[in-house]
Amino acid sequence: MISLTDAEDQLEIPPTRSKSYAGWQSGLLIGASSCLLVFTINLGVTIWSTTLPQGHPDEKHIRRILIEGPCSEMRRYNTILHLVVNIFSSILLAASNYGMQCLSAPTRADVDKAHFRGKWMDIGIPSIGNLFAIPRKRVVLWALLLLSSVPLHFFYNSVIFSSLSAVDYIVATTQKFQDLKDLWNSAREKRLENLTVSECMHKYAVVFQTQRSHVLLVGEPGSGPNRQGILSLSTFVSFYHLGYRWICYSLSDYPCRSMLPDLKKHSDNWKPYGTRIKYCLSKPKTEHCRLNFSPPLVSIIIICNAIKAAVLLYTAFRPPTEPLLVLGDAIESYLTTPDPFSANECLISANNIILRDKKNSTGPRKWVPVQRLWASAVTMRRWKMSILLYSAAVASMLVCLVVGIRALQPNDFKTLWNLGFGAVTELTLIGLSDGNGFQANATIVLVVLLANLPQFIFSILYFQYNALFTGMLAAKEWSNFGYKRKGLRVSSDPKRYQRSRYFLQLPYRWGIPLILMSILIHWMLSQSLFVVAIENLDDPTLYSTCGYSPIAIIAVTLASGVLLSVIIITGFRRLPSTIPVVGSCSLAIAAACHHPTGLPQPEEPFLPLKWGVIVMGSNGEAIDTGTVGHCGFSSNYVEEPQAGAQYA
């Protein structure tokens, strides 16, 4: 007689995954190390920023000035720094999402408890439902990762922001420019530039003037109603009154921007104050912009950063025992130790389990070969929730687009296109009072929250979108076993014919395009609704509001339509075989992993497997199952199920 000890010595028992730092635990350690690296950089930059000059002391928002200079140079620095910030943000979010999926994945013990209660759990996909059946400690860790991600969506991109220093200037017109002695002296000393009428319009028809100051409009002598003096002909133009309206002063109440093309065509007859202008004398101004750093916002990011690193390190060093992260983990576990709650149900599908009649839930089933759609792998409740979320988001976006377009006059497509993609214009600032100015009394934090709200909403939608794809691709991987023999793909420590090549469940050829599309839409959202920060050198107070870009909103809508089309087209693809669709249902997966003899098959998980009618034992001997056959996974020869036959 062979003792239990002797039998264990003769079997190749795979090591317990929780005792090594391979596979998914290595992923956690890499994620934690990345979080610590970003934490160190964020903390170092924050400490260094205390040596930098501060913004105006009367400002409600504390900021440090990283660098200041020409606006074109600041825009370049801003682009580079935001690229770095987005790389850091992507690292933190990727590490956090990885940790959340690992924490919500059930262990074999969790699944056994659920099966005992007549319930089931999700395997291989991100699942909120699993949180109700896993230990409370892991739920708390999962919640910490989730909550620490929220500030990343709202604040990280606004830790560094640029501010535009706009100029107040005087517009004056006269037939004899010598009447303005100071300006005339400046002209004689070549401190004023002589501009043609077309150049004058082009230089001053900007929302926020940064390169020019006072301008003298020189008209024809002896004509015009304003010959008596310069005072009645002067206009003070303040940046917060959006002051290039003076260019169209004598025209209708339509926005000046829409009339500029026609004015430029007839520049030889430009009469902004009733006098035809011959040329302009303009005072140049050195362009001045700033890159600002927000210590309060980055402090929130640092705290969240530290929480993520701590949770990931704790999970890596105190891992759950035998987590079932992917389908291969579950198949290996159930082949090695069969599930006692799912015997004699080898043809049961996830849909059968969800909808089945409690009185007739077990026993043989008739084989009806149906090649189902990819979409059948996702529960109807998840599809309904996804459709509801997407519909609400798209409807809100369209409402905002219609309201924004209706506020513009004219509002044809050419006008919308000329407004630019993500460009700051006076027509698309939120907070316009009477069309000539805007009220920018909100604190920068409130503006940042409003500007980044779409980013947060899209992240929720992307999480749901990713879960849909993950579920359908898991079904495709499962269905592959029905038509070709292959090794299991496990989350760590692959042995012999096993594989471990994907980032958990999502293949790279699908995951990378999804990530790139996510980055593209996040960028377009940043151009759709954005922070507009302006300051005046004579009044250091920072004015802030939000601007929007109709063309960018249209682009986001079209891109969202592409994503929706892709998920629908993918859902209507046919799975490669007729094997019952188990989705992510642990009970259906367990039912498909029983052997006809009812005995454990500890060697099978390490060999190439195929699903079908099992007619041979592990040693090649024939198996007689009588009139009712049995389907399952085997490394030996399997037959195709026969339509109409009974299997259990």
Side-chain angles (χ1 to χ4, degrees), residues 565-639:
S565 301
V566 169
I567 198 74
I568 292 174
I569 293 172
T570 303
F572 276 99
R573 293 179 64 181
R574 293 283 176 182
L575 292 168
S577 72
T578 57
I579 180 174
V581 178
V582 299
S584 59
C585 177
S586 60
L587 194 59
I589 296 170
C593 297
H594 289 278
H595 194 265
T597 62
L599 298 175
Q601 305 294 313
E603 290 295 318
E604 291 289 270
F606 308 111
L607 301 172
L609 301 176
K610 187 179 180 184
W611 182 91
V613 181
I614 300 177
V615 295
M616 299 176 62
S618 56
N619 296 322
E621 72 279 8
I623 296 178
D624 183 13
T625 57
T627 58
V628 179
H630 179 83
C631 296
F633 291 93
S634 177
S635 60
N636 293 308
Y637 171 75
V638 294
E639 295 180 348

Side-chain angles (χ1 to χ4, degrees), residues 86-108:
N86 277 282
I87 291 174
F88 288 170
S89 177
S90 298
I91 290 173
L92 293 176
L93 291 174
S96 183
N97 290 339
Y98 186 92
M100 289 170 64
Q101 188 164 349
C102 291
L103 286 167
S104 65
T107 64
R108 178 59 192 270

Side-chain angles (χ1 to χ4, degrees), residues 431-596:
L432 285 174
S433 55
D434 58 1
N436 295 320
F438 67 92
Q439 299 170 343
N441 299 322
T443 64
I444 189 68
V445 175
L446 293 178
V447 172
V448 166
L449 289 174
L450 176 61
N452 288 285
L453 181 60
Q455 305 277 358
F456 177 70
I457 294 174
F458 175 72
S459 295
I460 296 175
L461 295 177
Y462 179 76
F463 180 84
Q464 191 76 3
Y465 192 88
N466 185 280
L468 293 176
F469 256 110
T470 302
M472 291 193 292
L473 289 168
K476 196 263 184 182
E477 181 182 358
W478 175 270
S479 187
N480 283 340
F481 287 106
Y483 84 99
K484 65 180 179 181
R485 192 175 298 278
K486 57 191 298 186
L488 294 178
R489 186 178 60 81
V490 296
S491 60
S492 63
D493 297 334
K495 298 291 191 301
R496 299 174 70 180
Y497 290 94
Q498 291 180 340
R499 302 163 295 131
S500 183
R501 288 181 288 185
Y502 293 172
F503 185 80
L504 293 186
Q505 189 61 52
L506 204 60
Y508 294 128
R509 66 180 179 273
W510 291 87
I512 292 176
L514 284 178
I515 291 174
L516 293 177
M517 195 65 178
S518 171
I519 293 172
L520 175 64
I521 292 184
H522 272 297
W523 173 74
M524 289 192 295
L525 284 172
S526 71
Q527 303 303 299
S528 300
L529 187 65
F530 42 84
V531 175
V532 179
I534 315 118
E535 55 186 332
N536 190 295
L537 296 180
D538 299 323
D539 178 12
T541 303
L542 188 70
Y543 294 84
S544 58
T545 186
C546 284
Y548 66 94
S549 171
I551 286 295
I553 297 176
I554 292 173
V556 171
T557 305
L558 293 176
S560 300
V562 171
L563 282 179
L564 187 60
S565 301
V566 169
I567 198 74
I568 292 174
I569 293 172
T570 303
F572 276 99
R573 293 179 64 181
R574 293 283 176 182
L575 292 168
S577 72
T578 57
I579 180 174
V581 178
V582 299
S584 59
C585 177
S586 60
L587 194 59
I589 296 170
C593 297
H594 289 278
H595 194 265

